[in-house]
Amino acid sequence: MATFKNKYLKLFKNWFILILVIFVVWMLFFDANSWLIHHELNSEIDDLENEKEYYKKEIEKDNKAIKELSTEEGLEKFAREEYYMKRDNEEIFIIEYEDSLKTK
């Protein structure tokens, strides 16, 4: 048991190894540019990249909706479906099924 302790303690008696170990511990955990901070920042970058992709898809979807609404047929379709608008000579019947009704 004594040789086991002496073997590892002998390593730390060398000043270069002791300073190297202290430097590595300092850089990994305590420094302003530590590994922990880099890991946190990298995960934040990944989250922002995912959010960026989501917003790109939303922009594409909105541009497609704008193109559809720029035509007269698309605008009329939107007004009929969303606001139940009609022409003067028409009647609208709204059919709702039980499973499509919003219940509280």
Side-chain angles (χ1 to χ4, degrees):
M1 187 81 172
T3 58
F4 179 72
K5 287 183 181 178
N6 287 339
K7 181 179 168 184
Y8 289 107
L9 288 177
K10 197 177 213 182
L11 274 175
F12 289 107
K13 286 183 180 180
N14 188 347
W15 283 101
F16 295 111
I17 293 177
L18 184 63
I19 291 172
L20 179 68
V21 168
I22 291 171
F23 176 75
V24 167
V25 168
W26 180 265
M27 292 307 287
L28 284 176
F29 299 108
F30 300 115
D31 192 48
N33 299 318
S34 70
W35 177 79
L36 296 173
I37 292 173
H38 277 284
H39 181 69
E40 183 180 321
L41 290 175
N42 285 337
S43 65
E44 189 175 333
I45 287 172
D46 291 340
D47 292 341
L48 289 173
E49 290 289 334
N50 292 337
E51 194 173 327
K52 179 180 168 184
E53 290 300 318
Y54 168 76
Y55 285 123
K56 280 184 179 180
K57 290 177 184 174
E58 288 296 315
I59 288 171
E60 288 176 12
K61 191 177 0 173
D62 289 343
N63 284 336
K64 185 191 261 187
I66 288 172
K67 274 189 177 179
E68 288 178 6
L69 291 175
S70 65
T71 64
E72 194 163 319
E73 295 87 21
L75 190 60
E76 182 179 346
K77 179 182 176 187
F78 179 77
R80 287 173 173 265
E81 289 176 357
E82 296 295 320
Y83 297 108
Y84 305 117
M85 293 184 168
K86 64 180 182 103
R87 292 187 181 147
D88 290 334
N89 58 355
E90 290 181 334
E91 288 186 26
I92 296 179
F93 298 99
I94 300 172
I95 302 171
E96 293 183 350
Y97 298 101
E98 278 188 41
D99 57 350
S100 67
L101 294 176
K102 296 178 183 175
T103 58
K104 291 183 180 178

